[in-house]
Amino acid sequence: MFTRWFISMIITFFSSISAFGTELNVMCAKGLIKVCKEAAKVFEEKTGNKIFLNFPSSGRLAMQIEAGIPADVFLLSDKRWGDFLAREGLLIEKSIKPFASTTLLVVTRKDSSINTLDDLTKADRIAVGDKFTVIGSRILQAFKALHLYKKLKDKFIPAPTVNQAALWASTGNVNAAIIFNPTYLEFEKNLKVVYRFPSNTYDPIYFYTSIVESSQKKKVAEEFSEFLFSPTVKEILKKYGFEPVNN
């Protein structure tokens, strides 16, 4: 009797583990929060696996991986961190792939008198990213390509994040801001687009997926990484202002 009960309990236990699926730790750059949350929910519903998300900046996430914090998938906005971790043997190099991109915009408050790129010469303060960040380096490239950098550089106010730059513009703390398209969509109630930089004025701005070398769940990690290229996620990306990248 006891033996039969014990076997029944063992079967129930392993069945319950299977029912919950695999728990996957996904480290996701802050700029991808909404995309990650929605994509993770769909993936969980489709596969029965559970996704745990972590949302600091790419740099902080990279340092967590370097420190040995458990992780399976790393979604990053700055490939330099991916390359660094790959050199350290902490990321699978061939797994680092761009799955989304975005564009640069000049935005101002809706009631601003700045309506064109040339009007930026009338601005006193323009919020930009730090030159060592992805957005900051692309802003420098774009303005230099348009021969406006020397005219405007003394007006630049470095913002700690893209969202902060958008917030400063929406509250009038700066006259204009250079931000990503998805960020604009979050603040479009108060902002207007003055200019969209042509894609040939700056290097592409990609968001990458990658798999952590120490992951014990590489099969599911690969499945989630591939899922980011699916038609479902492509629609999610478009919804939040990103442009999908084909695998």
Side-chain angles (χ1 to χ4, degrees), residues 18-246:
S18 176
F20 285 113
T22 300
E23 295 180 350
L24 207 64
N25 291 309
V26 177
M27 291 190 164
C28 178
K30 283 194 293 188
L32 293 165
I33 288 176
K34 291 185 177 180
V35 170
C36 285
K37 286 183 175 179
E38 194 163 330
K41 183 179 179 182
V42 176
F43 184 78
E44 288 176 340
E45 292 171 351
K46 289 173 67 73
T47 66
N49 297 311
K50 179 67 178 175
I51 304 293
F52 291 98
L53 297 169
N54 188 3
F55 291 116
S57 65
S58 292
R60 288 186 180 180
L61 289 170
M63 286 186 282
Q64 288 181 17
I65 292 173
E66 187 181 23
I69 301 297
D72 302 295
V73 177
F74 182 24
L75 306 181
L76 60 153
S77 58
D78 190 339
K79 190 172 181 287
R80 290 174 296 184
W81 285 111
D83 292 339
F84 165 74
L85 292 175
R87 287 194 302 270
E88 296 294 310
L90 300 172
L91 280 188
I92 300 175
E93 186 173 11
K94 67 179 181 181
S95 74
I96 305 174
K97 302 174 184 176
F99 70 95
S101 66
T102 189
T103 51
L104 281 181
L105 314 176
V106 179
V107 298
T108 63
R109 279 174 58 97
K110 286 189 174 179
D111 59 1
S112 171
S113 61
I114 296 174
N115 294 303
T116 68
L117 185 66
D118 290 337
D119 286 344
L120 285 180
T121 56
K122 299 185 295 184
D124 296 317
R125 295 159 61 87
I126 302 170
V128 298
D130 185 278
K131 64 182 180 180
F132 296 109
T133 65
V134 171
I135 187 169
S137 65
R138 301 308 192 271
I139 289 170
L140 292 181
Q141 289 174 353
F143 277 123
K144 286 179 178 180
L146 296 170
H147 307 291
L148 288 172
Y149 175 70
K150 289 183 179 179
K151 289 182 181 179
L152 300 176
K153 65 177 182 177
D154 292 336
K155 304 173 185 287
F156 291 167
I157 307 296
T161 66
V162 183
N163 273 23
Q164 189 65 58
L167 182 61
W168 285 348
S170 66
T171 56
N173 288 321
V174 296
N175 306 111
I178 319 303
I179 62 176
F180 294 144
N181 188 56
T183 312
Y184 162 68
L185 295 181
E186 293 186 36
F187 290 85
E188 65 178 330
K189 182 179 179 181
N190 299 314
L191 297 178
K192 65 182 178 183
V193 176
V194 170
Y195 185 74
R196 293 179 182 271
F197 289 95
S199 59
N200 64 354
T201 60
Y202 58 91
D203 292 337
I205 302 167
Y206 288 130
F207 295 83
Y208 299 83
T209 181
S210 62
I211 297 172
V212 179
E213 182 67 62
S214 62
S215 172
Q216 301 300 306
K217 309 158 190 174
K218 287 190 177 66
K219 184 176 184 299
V220 179
E222 289 170 1
E223 289 174 4
F224 181 76
S225 190
E226 287 300 314
F227 178 65
L228 297 175
F229 297 94
S230 69
T232 299
V233 175
K234 286 181 179 179
E235 290 305 311
I236 294 172
L237 287 167
K238 292 176 185 177
K239 173 181 174 181
Y240 292 111
F242 294 90
E243 298 172 8
V245 174
N246 292 323

